[in-house]
Structure formats: C-alpha cells, structure tokens
Amino acid sequence: MAQTLVIIPTYNERENIDPIVARVRASVPTADILVVDDASPDGTGQLADAIAAADSQVHVLHRTKKNGLGAAYLEAFGWGLSRGYDELVQLDSDGSHQPEQLPDLLAAAKTADVVMGSRWVPGGAVQNWPWHRRALSRGGSTYSRLVLRLRQHDVTGGYRVYTAHALERMDLASVESLGYCFQIDMLLTSVRAGLTVVEVPITFVERVLGSSKMSGNIVVEAMIRVTVWGLTGKGARRAIAAAKN
C-alpha cells in the first residue's frame, strides 16, 4: 500500500489545526500528517506538538521564522522523500481544502504523477467567496494559463498530490517562488518535466476561523512574475532542461 504524507503548513492557525488534523485522520486513516509551522506566535506549533504526542501518525516540523508557503512545502517535500513516502499531499490548514475530498485525489494519483484539486473545471465550486475574489482568482488562473501556455484550469490552486516519482523528476532547485506564485511555479515545473498532470473537481470553502494571508498586492506581484516568465521564456528553458535529463 502506498504511503501517503499530508503536509499542512501553518502560521497562526491555532484555532484550525486540531479540527483539520482530525478531519484528515477520519478521511484517510492510513495517511501520516506533517504539520509545518513557521514559528507561529499564537502557539500553533506547540499545539501541534501536543497532537503529535497523542498520535504517532502526526509529525511536526518546526521552522525558525515565516519564510513563505513555498519554502515550507519544499522543506516538507525533502522531509517526506527522505522517509520513503510515495504520495505527498498539499493541504491548507484553514479548512478551505476539504479533507473529505482527499480520497478522490489519491485515487487519481494511481494513474497520474500530479493531481490538482480544481475549482474551475466542471464539478468544481467555491463557497462563500465574494464576486470580486472569485473574479481575481479565476482571472489570475486564466492569465497564467495563456501567458505560460498551460492547459490546466486552476493553476493557482494549492490542493495537490505529488507522487514521489514526480518530485524526484522535477527540478525543485529551479522553483524560485516562495509565496502565492509557488503553485504556478510548481505546475510549470511539473509540465516541463513531462509529467502527467490531471485535475479533479473540488469544492473550495472560505475559512471560518482566523484571518486569510491573501491580499490583492500578493496577487498583482504574482502576475508580474508570471508576465516576466512568459516574456523571458522560463518555461521553454525548463522544457530544454527536462529533455536533456
């Protein structure tokens, strides 16, 4: 049986960490969980330690400061690969990614290298978002698809499954984005490595507790970076590099 590691990055998510871990454990009882805490001042890391002390399938990786979502995931990927996990899952800690839908993503990973939970394919949905945030997210995905010539619809979504094979094939050292653009960067790296990428519809639910780290400035900064990638041919360079490997 494949060993699955669900990676949950946290920063000031004390209200959410206990229920999200419980939901993952209920939805995929055989999976292990790695909480990656960026030195949350609200004590999220200490609460995660207490959860791990009571459950051998929960682990905690403490980072010394807030260095960005991408940096947390990249360190967690290294942690999981070094311990022999076959499937590594990205999951938000705020409940927006529903653990109850994870079995569908894992089922798709049996025949794909990368599985993306998608809001913008038939069957996908978003709950409790105002129209302007929906437009911003969908518009960002559409713009990135066109500029980078990607076929996938939800290029900014963060609910994903990467097989160990996929991560080992990818040039993770070339992933330079640590914030919002990280998901686009990882998808571009996956596609240019010749991996099989599929989208599975999900329902994204806006957080109930805590505050979002997202802002309009973050999205604008990401779109500027995507534009630079498109103009400088970053994707083409990766395709050449992948063909040589």
Side-chain angles (χ1 to χ4, degrees), residues 113-182:
D113 299 310
V114 180
V115 180
M116 302 168 55
S118 180
R119 299 161 288 185
W120 311 128
V121 295
V126 172
Q127 291 184 357
N128 304 326
W129 262 13
W131 70 267
H132 62 274
R133 185 163 181 193
R134 187 187 300 264
L136 188 65
S137 177
R138 193 157 195 170
S141 276
T142 300
Y143 179 76
S144 300
R145 287 178 62 207
L146 294 174
V147 171
L148 301 175
R149 299 181 182 179
L150 293 167
R151 297 182 178 180
Q152 293 73 28
H153 295 80
D154 194 350
V155 304
T156 62
Y159 197 0
R160 300 183 181 181
V161 180
Y162 291 95
T163 64
H165 165 76
L167 292 172
E168 288 164 352
R169 282 273 308 275
M170 294 165 65
D171 180 14
L172 294 179
S174 72
V175 178
E176 59 195 39
S177 309
L178 301 181
Y180 180 75
C181 214
F182 172 74

Side-chain angles (χ1 to χ4, degrees), residues 148-228:
L148 301 175
R149 299 181 182 179
L150 293 167
R151 297 182 178 180
Q152 293 73 28
H153 295 80
D154 194 350
V155 304
T156 62
Y159 197 0
R160 300 183 181 181
V161 180
Y162 291 95
T163 64
H165 165 76
L167 292 172
E168 288 164 352
R169 282 273 308 275
M170 294 165 65
D171 180 14
L172 294 179
S174 72
V175 178
E176 59 195 39
S177 309
L178 301 181
Y180 180 75
C181 214
F182 172 74
Q183 308 298 359
I184 305 171
D185 205 345
M186 284 289 290
L187 174 58
L188 185 60
T189 304
S190 302
V191 171
R192 300 315 184 218
L195 300 173
T196 303
V197 182
V198 301
E199 291 183 273
V200 172
I202 62 166
T203 298
F204 182 97
V205 181
E206 175 65 340
R207 69 160 64 227
V208 175
L209 300 173
S211 58
S212 174
K213 284 76 176 178
M214 186 59 60
S215 71
N217 290 337
I218 291 174
V219 176
V220 170
E221 180 182 352
M223 293 306 98
I224 292 173
R225 177 166 289 192
V226 166
T227 302
V228 172

Side-chain angles (χ1 to χ4, degrees), residues 72-125:
Y73 271 129
L74 290 173
E75 187 170 344
F77 290 154
W79 189 98
L81 290 174
S82 69
R83 288 161 176 79
Y85 288 97
D86 302 304
E87 301 163 338
L88 296 93
V89 179
Q90 295 183 179
L91 181 80
D92 282 356
S93 58
D94 59 11
S96 56
H97 297 155
Q98 299 185 80
E100 294 76 16
Q101 296 182 314
L102 181 52
D104 293 336
L105 274 67
L106 292 174
K110 296 184 184 301
T111 56
D113 299 310
V114 180
V115 180
M116 302 168 55
S118 180
R119 299 161 288 185
W120 311 128
V121 295

